[in-house]
Amino acid sequence: MKDLLDEDSLKYKYFIENCEKIAKNYGYSYIETPSLEETALFKRSVGESSDIVNKEMYQFLDKGGNDVCLRPEGTAGIVRAFVQNKFDKAGVAKRYFYHGPMFRYERPQKGRLRCFHQFGVESFGQKNVTEDATVIAMLAQIFAYFGIDTTLKLNSLGCSECMPKYKEGLLEYLQELSHALCEDCNNRIATNPIRVLDCKNQSCQNLLKDAPKITQNLCAECDEDFKRLQKLLDVANISYEIDTNLVRGLDYYNKSAFEFVSDKIGAQSSIAGGGRYDKLVEYLDGKATYGVGFAIGVERLLDLIETPKSTREGYMLVSSSKEGIQKLFVKAQALRLESQAILEYSPKNLKNALKLADKNSALYLLYIGDDELAQDKIWMKNLSTKDESLIDF
Ligand SMILES: [Zn+2]
Ligand SMILES: [Zn+2]
């Protein structure tokens, strides 16, 4: 785990604040859910067989004997909140953005943190594929805003009608190949065959080249939606690659799946991912509700982000005497109603006062020396224009 401070915290704030601004432009509002949830929630939503649930959960019994867990991701808690507030029964559409710490008990390794941050959005109640195109457009806008080069990968995972049929065909194909595939692949053939497509092993990938593709086995509705999504991205000038190996391990994901990758932080590293999850709300005991969303891993991006050069702002207040400092304490409180004001507590001469103002990037120095104290005045200097003046207290 790592502290966020100084340069890192500035970058973090800068990133989150601009993501928020963009998400608000799309009609999203902020949701905050607890960092701690019942373990059962994640077992059901993230999936009992996933690595996250098997090995990486920050899970413990609290003093009341409840089996709880620090959230490994954001979606499950938000779906729980959506259902708990009965929005599913009311059939209302909701659009939320969230950000905050997520926790995974990973083996310590470079670039992996046990406490990391995500920014994400979840949209509930929209069946129209325009919503999928819109959340993708939002992500593209976020990366463009920060000048991060990305490649968008796109796939369709079909629906409960076409996916199972596709899976059957794929399974037949894989079983004939199984002797040549790696051990991981063989495990997945038994548990979750479409995850075989995801294998990082190049020799497996070579064997899988001629495997049946989901995009060629979609039902009429899924096919139409997938084509419509591509059309919408085309007209919005968002480029993409179809990647039929982009799959998810869980049944409640359907139709659009997407991922933004970047070469700037290692070869083709994923920096954001998302898609449609029309079955998740039902899966977590709610009334069936359409859903689509994405999540961005923040830490990996911070190295790629340049914060704007900090400009001078606010006031530095310094005096040569205790009496002057006491007067400036009152002045600082008045200024703080509108601007930044930093008060120095020990007496300083003018030369050191100017240095302090510089160090704190203040736009104005307010100084009370002995003369100013006697006259009940403040000497003010604009450190940008270098204008000086004597003002009334
Ligand atoms: Zn379908
Ligand atoms: Zn493999």
Side-chain angles (χ1 to χ4, degrees), residues 179-190:
H179 60 280
L181 292 166
C182 75
E183 197 188 327
D184 265 1
C185 282
N186 273 289
N187 288 336
R188 283 168 171 175
I189 288 173

Side-chain angles (χ1 to χ4, degrees), residues 158-159 161-162 218-219 222:
C159 66
E161 195 196 311
C162 53
L218 296 170
C219 68
C222 289

